[in-house]
Amino acid sequence: MDPTTGAITVGALLDRETLASYVLICKAIDQGAPALTGTATLTVGINDLNDNPPVFINEPYADTLLENVTVPISLFTMAATDADQGVNARLLFSIVSGNGQAKFHLDPVTGVFSLVATLDRDTTPSYSVVIKVTDGGSPALTDQTTVSVTVLDVNDNAPAFVAAVNGLMTFYIGESASPGDVVGSLVALDPDYGNNGKVSYTLNDTLVGTDNHFVIRDVSQGDISVNNGISLDREKVNNYLLVVIACDAGTDPGPLCTQVQVNVLLQDANDNRPIFDQILYQADVSEDKPVDYVVLQVVAHDNDAVNNGAVAYSLKLPSGSTAAQFFVIHPSTGIVSLKQQLDRETTDRFSFNVVATDNGNTALSSSTSVVITVKDVNDNAPTFNPDFIVAAVAYNDDNKILSTLSATDPDLEAGSKVTYKFYKKADDFELEQNAGTVKVIVGRQLKVDSTYELQFVAADNGYPTMTSSPARLRVDAFDSNTKLLSVDLSMSEEQFAAKTALFESSMAKQYATKYPKVRVIIYDVIRRTYDGSTSTTAAPTGRKKRATTDGHRITVRFFVVQDSADGELTDTSKARSFVPNSDALPAITDPQKTSGCSSANANVQAAFPEIITTCSQRDTNATSDDTPWISTTTGIAVTTVVCVLAVAIIVAIIVLIWCCCFSKKRPGTPVKPYVSPQATSPEPGRPKLAATGDTGEGADKTFKESNDLRREIQTPSKVEVVIEERRPQNDFRPLRRPAVLKPEKEDYYDGRAVDPATGKVYEFNSKTNERRWLQTPEGGAVMSDVESESFKYE
């Protein structure tokens, strides 16, 4: 207190909370003496200042809750004190942090702290919520505390499989996997705590595929592996669908489980070879097929997948095969087609292998056999070999075969069958078209010392017909009396055939000195026959009796040409150099014998001991006594007369029989004959006949009146009526050509009727009543077939 002014001032810090008021006793002393005093009591109240913050009491705040606790629920009532008073002691509560999920609520006035949202321990196992209390002073003072809430687990979550999509998981494993190999690992998570989150795995079922091929060995791991003793085969089972269950170990309310389907796909291993549909493929292809023609298709299947099952085809040819020149195979489709055109005449059959190879890392392959037969087409013309022939013949010999043509055609069947014909007409010669033999026409004589050139072609019987190039035959006609020699040999015709070349060379040596290029050519070989006597000197018969023989004696006729190159004379203007008998005979006969038949000289007998006699053709010709009578002029004339007389007698007998047979039948009288509509006065109501030229039903039309068996065909002027022969169905004799009946005089016989007694058809004139039997052009009677209402003829 100021002693002078009496002002009372605060001398030290005040603390209302320590002492809320002060009572002061003031005393006033004057300056007097005695100083007088006065006293006064002063009460000083201390006004509150907000100098004390609120303080939480009852700490710590903590609680434990089951995650499935029912909400809302009050957990705490927050308590705090403030030494201040009044407004400064008015407290408000608030949550500072830890309530991001808005799980809790705090009443700001009462301080009640409540759980207002469900808990999930699997998400948030505990909460720490910071609470602040604030007084009402200015400035406001605060205090904080932490509320701890621990969430206890409840088994409310089933295990969940990681990486499962819509309840399905997929694993891949090669089909070559061994037992124990892991297919894949399953992972299932359970967010629950403790045993509630402990997961075990069980392979529950196999929906697709074979049971027990897979197993889960460790239930806590979820690894799926191939079971013991199992060999996978994708070609049998390419996928499996398994059911796996994952369960936790919770007890309240019990274990929770989740299942997943596991699709196990087997990846292919190249463990299968391509297999062909057939072990042998066969095809026929015509040799005229064009390039790229599809012959056949081979097909192979590989049960493996993707590249392991992709098949490529190739040809595998045996050594020396030419198939690669003609065939090609498409590597993907297996189509075998022509690379170039075939020729059956070169190769008629191909045999090779086709290999199918897969596309695996270690390729596997197999093969099949292919046989292709080339079918013939008529693509080759016949060819003559040789195409030029030289022949010689006696001008008056119409029995000798000049040549037998030979043409070959490499085609098959009809294409290889050859027929021959003249390319240019040859008046004096005949050709057997099948055998190809060329002869002089019987009865014809050629001109002596003339040369003929014949040309021939050969045609096959295929389609289209192929014709050869012309072949030529040179024929030299000679006089056998001056050019032909003969020798008798003591040997059979078969024995001589084996020594023909020796005979020709032996005889040629006799002329070689004079003619160095000489050639002996055999004309024919005659079997000699005898008159039945035992004499070996009996005269031989003519060559018309060669059919009977003793088989031990033959006559060989031959001629000699000066130059062996005569056989190549294609120029028919040049004559052949025949050696005349006057020069040829002395060289081989006994020099003591100048004419007729003689024994061979020593040189000839030494060269060919079988020769008995040698003659000129004049001596070897058969005499008139040796010629068969029927072959003589007289025999031919008599035979002709006898044949003519025999034919005449047979004809006379046939005519006589015919007349006798038909003379017994009498014509009847027609009943009410019809008159032709072509007549001058036609009768009304007469049926109309077929028009000119009809050969069918109109021309055979018949009409019938009851009970009189009458038939009539009306024939107008210039109308031909065809009568058809009709026979029972079981008569298979060939039908004769229908007869065409023509009236002798136009409009004279104007009607036809049937004789009821004989069934014959006759014509009549309706005015004069003249009648005549109707006949076919062959002279037979025309008959009526009453049942079929048609005519027939005999």
Side-chain angles (χ1 to χ4, degrees):
M1 176 181 289
D2 188 299
T4 302
T5 62
I8 298 173
T9 60
V10 176
L13 291 176
L14 300 175
D15 182 8
R16 191 203 67 79
E17 288 73 28
T18 303
L19 185 61
S21 61
Y22 292 88
V23 177
L24 302 177
I25 297 175
C26 297
K27 179 171 136 176
I29 302 174
D30 58 17
Q31 293 295 324
L36 296 177
T37 61
T39 60
T41 299
L42 176 62
T43 300
V44 178
I46 304 302
N47 292 330
D48 185 51
L49 293 176
N50 192 24
D51 58 351
N52 290 286
V55 177
F56 280 100
I57 59 176
N58 301 326
E59 291 183 308
Y61 294 94
D63 199 357
T64 299
L65 300 175
L66 293 174
E67 60 180 328
N68 61 349
V69 64
T70 303
V71 293
I73 184 174
S74 296
L75 303 181
F76 309 102
T77 299
M78 306 304 297
T81 61
D82 193 328
D84 295 324
Q85 63 180 8
V87 174
N88 293 332
R90 186 179 301 166
L91 302 179
L92 294 175
F93 299 92
S94 63
I95 297 175
V96 176
S97 63
N99 193 29
Q101 299 177 359
K103 298 288 184 180
F104 302 99
H105 176 265
L106 178 62
D107 190 297
V109 177
T110 63
V112 176
F113 185 80
S114 304
L115 176 67
V116 296
T118 58
L119 300 176
D120 186 0
R121 186 209 168 281
D122 311 312
T123 304
T124 308
S126 62
Y127 297 88
S128 293
V129 182
V130 177
I131 305 297
K132 180 177 73 171
V133 60
T134 305
D135 59 20
S138 179
L141 299 178
T142 63
D143 190 12
Q144 291 183 350
T145 188
T146 300
V147 175
S148 297
V149 177
T150 300
V151 181
L152 298 178
D153 185 60
V154 174
N155 191 23
D156 57 351
N157 291 283
F161 286 94
V162 177
V165 178
N166 297 325
L168 179 67
M169 298 182 68
T170 301
F171 294 113
Y172 296 90
I173 188 172
E175 63 174 323
S176 58
S178 301
D181 288 354
V182 176
V183 176
S185 296
L186 299 176
V187 176
L189 299 179
D190 191 329
D192 291 330
Y193 180 72
N195 289 337
N196 293 336
K198 187 177 181 180
V199 179
S200 60
Y201 303 89
T202 304
L203 201 162
N204 186 59
D205 195 7
T206 301
L207 301 180
V208 176
T210 307
D211 292 338
N212 302 321
H213 277 200
F214 299 95
V215 65
I216 296 178
R217 300 181 188 281
D218 187 347
V219 295
S220 64
Q221 296 298 319
D223 293 336
I224 301 175
S225 59
V226 180
N227 205 353
N228 294 333
I230 297 300
S231 178
L232 302 177
D233 188 350
R234 189 202 65 83
E235 288 69 41
K236 293 181 179 178
V237 181
N238 60 3
N239 76 293
Y240 295 81
L241 187 60
L242 312 177
V243 176
V244 176
I245 295 178
C247 295
D248 59 29
T251 58
D252 186 14
L256 299 179
C257 299
T258 302
Q259 74 174 20
V260 67
Q261 292 185 352
V262 179
N263 191 18
V264 179
L265 299 178
L266 299 189
Q267 293 179 318
D268 185 58
N270 194 25
D271 56 350
N272 290 278
R273 297 178 181 275
I275 302 298
F276 283 95
D277 288 351
Q278 300 174 213
I279 60 174
L280 174 64
Y281 288 84
Q282 293 178 302
D284 295 339
V285 57
S286 297
E287 60 178 324
D288 61 343
K289 294 302 181 183
V291 174
D292 295 330
Y293 174 78
V294 175
V295 179
L296 56 84
Q297 182 179 18
V298 298
V299 178
H301 299 281
D302 192 319
N303 291 329
D304 293 324
V306 197
N307 289 338
N308 294 333
V311 178
Y313 302 94
S314 61
L315 298 180
K316 182 180 180 182
L317 308 179
S319 177
S321 174
T322 60
Q325 301 176 18
F326 299 96
F327 301 99
V328 64
I329 188 168
H330 193 283
S332 299
T333 64
I335 292 177
V336 178
S337 57
L338 289 181
K339 188 177 181 180
Q340 71 177 49
Q341 195 164 5
L342 301 169
D343 182 12
R344 188 206 63 80
E345 288 71 35
T346 302
T347 308
D348 61 355
R349 187 175 183 270
F350 294 89
S351 179
F352 53 87
N353 290 335
V354 172
V355 177
T357 306
D358 61 29
N359 198 31
N361 291 332
T362 302
L364 300 177
S365 63
S366 62
S367 64
T368 188
S369 298
V370 176
V371 176
I372 298 175
T373 301
V374 183
K375 306 299 287 185
D376 185 59
V377 296
N378 196 32
D379 59 347
N380 291 280
T383 56
F384 283 97
N385 185 22
D387 59 0
F388 177 75
I389 307 170
V390 175
V393 65
Y395 77 97
N396 58 350
D397 188 352
D398 59 4
N399 189 57
K400 178 176 175 57
I401 296 176
L402 302 179
S403 178
T404 300
L405 303 178
S406 177
T408 58
D409 191 321
D411 293 320
L412 297 178
E413 298 176 352
S416 65
K417 296 178 180 179
V418 176
T419 56
Y420 304 90
K421 62 182 178 179
F422 285 106
Y423 183 65
K424 292 183 179 179
K425 186 177 181 181
D427 295 332
D428 298 318
F429 300 90
E430 64 180 3
L431 169 64
E432 207 292 317
Q433 65 175 1
N434 294 319
T437 54
V438 183
K439 298 171 61 177
V440 177
I441 297 175
V442 175
R444 298 284 179 92
Q445 287 189 357
L446 305 180
K447 294 180 180 180
V448 179
D449 296 332
S450 297
T451 300
Y452 299 82
E453 181 177 314
L454 310 179
Q455 294 190 30
F456 311 91
V457 291
D460 58 31
N461 291 331
Y463 180 83
T465 300
M466 304 290 287
T467 304
S468 70
S469 300
R472 299 168 59 201
L473 172 62
R474 174 192 173 117
V475 179
D476 293 284
F478 60 85
D479 185 355
S480 61
N481 293 321
T482 61
K483 303 294 192 303
L484 204 58
L485 302 176
S486 68
V487 295
D488 289 342
L489 289 85
S490 59
M491 61 193 314
S492 67
E493 196 172 3
E494 291 75 15
Q495 291 170 337
F496 178 77
K499 294 186 176 183
T500 300
L502 176 61
F503 175 83
E504 291 177 342
S505 62
S506 299
M507 300 304 287
K509 289 179 181 179
Q510 312 307 314
Y511 308 101
T513 302
K514 187 174 182 180
Y515 306 109
K517 296 183 179 180
V518 71
R519 182 183 178 193
V520 172
I521 301 175
I522 296 175
Y523 186 75
D524 60 7
V525 178
I526 304 173
R527 296 177 181 177
R528 306 306 290 176
T529 59
Y530 300 89
D531 59 1
S533 65
T534 59
S535 173
T536 58
T537 60
T541 64
R543 49 191 173 89
K544 300 294 184 179
K545 295 183 178 179
R546 296 174 191 168
T548 60
T549 176
D550 61 0
H552 296 291
R553 188 175 180 185
I554 60 173
T555 296
V556 178
R557 299 195 297 175
F558 64 94
F559 59 89
V560 184
V561 293
Q562 299 177 15
D563 191 348
S564 60
D566 282 358
E568 301 174 1
L569 279 176
T570 59
D571 187 355
T572 57
S573 64
K574 295 181 180 180
R576 296 188 72 180
S577 55
F578 289 97
V579 176
N581 286 359
S582 58
D583 288 345
L585 187 58
I588 62 174
T589 59
D590 187 347
Q592 303 298 323
K593 184 75 173 179
T594 58
S595 65
C597 294
S598 169
S599 60
N601 62 33
N603 292 334
V604 173
Q605 290 183 346
F608 212 88
E610 292 86 352
I611 295 178
I612 302 173
T613 59
T614 61
C615 304
S616 67
Q617 172 60 22
R618 181 181 292 109
D619 298 321
T620 60
N621 276 344
T623 65
S624 59
D625 294 336
D626 297 327
T627 304
W629 177 83
I630 198 171
S631 300
T632 64
T633 303
T634 303
I636 294 173
V638 172
T639 303
T640 303
V641 172
V642 171
C643 291
V644 172
L645 290 175
V647 172
I649 292 171
I650 293 172
V651 171
I653 293 173
I654 293 174
V655 172
L656 182 60
I657 294 173
W658 184 85
C659 293
C660 291
C661 292
F662 289 98
S663 63
K664 297 178 180 179
K665 297 181 180 180
R666 295 178 294 104
T669 302
V671 181
K672 296 181 181 181
Y674 289 106
V675 179
S676 169
Q678 301 296 329
T680 305
S681 301
E683 296 179 6
R686 181 176 298 277
K688 199 171 183 179
L689 293 183
T692 302
D694 285 350
T695 59
E697 184 179 358
D700 268 336
K701 190 82 173 180
T702 60
F703 303 90
K704 181 178 180 181
E705 290 189 5
S706 61
N707 302 323
D708 60 4
L709 300 176
R710 182 178 59 192
R711 301 288 184 273
E712 178 182 25
I713 297 180
Q714 307 244 344
T715 308
S717 176
K718 298 182 182 179
V719 174
E720 293 182 354
V721 179
V722 178
I723 305 301
E724 245 182 36
E725 179 182 8
R726 304 200 178 180
R727 293 181 177 172
Q729 292 183 355
N730 59 353
D731 190 344
F732 297 100
R733 294 177 297 165
L735 294 175
R736 290 173 288 180
R737 186 179 61 185
V740 180
L741 307 180
K742 299 182 180 179
E744 293 182 356
K745 296 180 181 180
E746 296 181 359
D747 298 331
Y748 187 77
Y749 293 99
D750 56 358
R752 291 180 184 175
V754 179
D755 180 14
T758 63
K760 294 184 180 179
V761 181
Y762 63 89
E763 296 177 311
F764 62 86
N765 187 307
S766 60
K767 296 181 179 180
T768 65
N769 205 27
E770 292 181 73
R771 288 173 284 180
R772 66 175 181 183
W773 294 114
L774 192 62
Q775 293 182 338
T776 66
E778 291 82 1
V782 178
M783 304 299 293
S784 171
D785 186 348
V786 175
E787 292 182 0
S788 63
E789 298 188 0
S790 63
F791 291 119
K792 65 180 179 179
Y793 60 91
E794 298 185 67

